[in-house]
Amino acid sequence: MEQISLSEDLITEILCRLPVKSVTRFKIVSKAWNNLISNVCIPRISNLSGFLFHSTEDCMNYFSYSDNNEGCGNDGEGFVESLTSLLPSEYFPYKLFDSCNGLILLGSSLREHRYYVCNPLTKQCVAIPKARERVLESAPALEIRRTTKSFAL
Amino acid sequence: MASSSSSSSCSSSSEKKITLKSSDGEALNVEKNVALEFEPAKGFLEDNSEEADDEAIVVPLPNVSAAVLSELIPYVKQRLELSAKPVQKKLIKAFDDQFTRHLSDDKLGELMLAANYLGVNYLLDVLCDVTADRIKNKSVEYVREFLGIQNDFTPEEEAELRAQCPWAFEGVDQD
């Protein structure tokens, strides 16, 4: 097909039918593809169609329109699979503490306090360095600082 | 009575023939209802609706070759017949699968351009699915070659992007 030059519209149409893993890989095909994928396809194909909400004081739920995943983050079953599958399994069960601008804050509910900030769209996760002075109390919150493109607990 | 006469004229119009002229100058005779599935032809026929004799109309399609048109016409014709009946979606899908299964990559691209130009969206939809399926698990290098895309990243930029999401490069099919 290399002799045929497809328009940007057609390329977009094709890319947006691919799974997240494939489009993430194809970002490095070219600069134009990187733009299309980051700005058009990933937001469009994300299968996370639902919302996060607080149900009790220390528990957040994720409600999905697509696959009836409903329940409390505490028991690990309420998450859509793509959320839990991001994390190292030895720290289960995770608790969903907060969400902000599309990022979510997860933490282990075991004694050892570990927190992760994840982006469910790109399936990226970063571990928060342990607080040296004191262990975070039961309700940490996530805040995005737009100006510095950073987040804080 | 008025409604019955209009419906009979409608059914007879589907048997009327229209001439389509391809980019390489070939004239192809098609049923009017098939021609109406092609947006540029539909527009042309509406603009020339005062012409009494449809047979005399020649619709120019300067962006589609005769080879591509002669693949598209039987597809559209059969697809119209299928969707006129109360058939299951499964049957239409099976028909689409059969049509696309043996298409070469080049033919797939040509048909995609033609379906896009002609506004045959149900075919375009299927062709995009097939193309996506053919590149889904492939490597970046394979996809660049498949679609003839020039890599404009420097090796450093490419390595940096790769390092951001190593999981996306695991379990890729052999080219």
Side-chain angles (χ1 to χ4, degrees):
Chain A
M1 211 190 275
E2 68 270 28
Q3 306 301 329
I4 294 158
S5 107
L6 298 178
S7 66
E8 196 177 286
D9 283 351
L10 283 178
I11 295 280
T12 312
E13 206 43 61
I14 295 163
L15 291 179
C16 293
R17 290 158 197 252
L18 291 167
V20 174
K21 186 173 171 181
S22 303
V23 282
T24 307
R25 180 168 67 249
F26 296 158
K27 278 182 184 181
I28 67 171
V29 165
S30 71
K31 288 179 181 169
W33 277 43
N34 188 14
N35 269 333
L36 277 180
I37 290 168
S38 306
N39 300 326
V40 185
C41 291
I42 290 193
R44 208 202 281 181
I45 62 180
S46 158
N47 54 7
L48 285 175
S49 56
F51 53 88
L52 294 158
F53 62 100
H54 272 286
S55 57
T56 58
E57 216 171 280
D58 61 346
C59 174
M60 282 193 76
N61 278 9
Y62 176 75
F63 179 84
S64 165
Y65 297 118
S66 50
D67 43 17
N68 293 324
N69 268 315
E70 193 188 354
C72 181
N74 261 335
D75 56 17
E77 283 172 21
F79 291 128
V80 280
E81 211 176 57
S82 54
L83 295 187
T84 44
S85 62
L86 298 172
L87 301 162
S89 55
E90 65 263 34
Y91 288 113
F92 272 102
Y94 276 91
K95 198 166 158 183
L96 183 53
F97 281 107
D98 202 5
S99 73
C100 183
N101 284 26
L103 298 181
I104 56 172
L105 173 65
L106 296 158
S108 70
S109 48
L110 302 175
R111 208 171 299 156
E112 187 192 9
H113 287 266
R114 293 287 290 164
Y115 294 94
Y116 294 87
V117 172
C118 298
N119 183 343
L121 282 188
T122 60
K123 298 193 177 186
Q124 282 177 309
C125 247
V126 291
I128 303 298
K130 279 190 181 178
R132 217 174 289 158
E133 278 123 42
R134 62 185 180 88
V135 176
L136 289 164
E137 290 308 323
S138 64
L142 184 65
E143 176 192 306
I144 307 286
R145 294 186 178 148
R146 282 177 184 279
T147 46
T148 56
K149 290 189 179 169
S150 62
F151 51 79
L153 296 182
Chain B
M1 279 317 279
S3 71
S4 85
S5 80
S6 81
S7 79
S8 81
S9 80
C10 177
S11 73
S12 73
S13 82
S14 70
E15 279 134 44
K16 278 185 191 163
K17 295 269 190 169
I18 300 284
T19 305
L20 304 178
K21 197 174 170 197
S22 70
S23 60
D24 40 352
E26 228 172 281
L28 294 100
N29 269 320
V30 296
E31 287 82 359
K32 190 175 180 181
N33 66 332
V34 173
L36 286 173
E37 291 293 294
F38 303 145
E39 292 292 341
K42 192 180 173 195
F44 189 91
L45 290 171
E46 278 166 6
D47 291 347
N48 295 279
S49 57
E50 71 279 3
E51 187 84 45
D53 184 11
D54 280 340
E55 309 265 335
I57 298 179
V58 178
V59 182
L61 294 174
N63 289 343
V64 194
S65 70
V68 171
L69 269 179
S70 53
E71 297 229 20
L72 273 175
I73 290 164
Y75 169 84
V76 169
K77 197 178 165 190
Q78 282 196 59
R79 184 74 204 265
L80 279 177
E81 282 164 13
L82 267 182
S83 35
K85 293 180 213 154
V87 291
Q88 292 168 306
K89 280 197 174 141
K90 249 179 11 194
L91 276 176
I92 294 184
K93 183 159 188 327
F95 169 69
D96 285 339
D97 283 350
Q98 200 194 353
F99 177 72
T100 53
R101 194 177 307 143
H102 302 293
L103 292 177
S104 69
D105 294 338
D106 284 341
K107 185 63 86 184
L108 183 61
E110 284 172 14
L111 283 171
M112 229 177 327
L113 288 180
N116 189 40
Y117 166 68
L118 295 170
V120 188
N121 291 333
Y122 46 86
L123 176 60
L124 188 60
D125 193 45
V126 171
L127 296 171
C128 286
D129 277 343
V130 172
T131 311
D133 211 51
R134 288 192 189 179
I135 61 173
K136 183 167 70 181
N137 294 317
K138 299 294 186 179
S139 70
V140 171
E141 293 74 20
Y142 180 92
V143 171
R144 278 186 197 133
E145 203 181 306
F146 187 87
L147 289 164
I149 292 166
Q150 203 65 40
N151 175 18
D152 51 1
F153 283 117
T154 65
E156 293 76 26
E157 287 170 330
E158 197 178 320
E160 199 186 317
L161 279 170
R162 231 174 241 269
Q164 280 173 14
C165 43
W167 52 269
F169 295 87
E170 291 160 8
V172 174
D173 284 357
Q174 289 287 306
D175 293 348

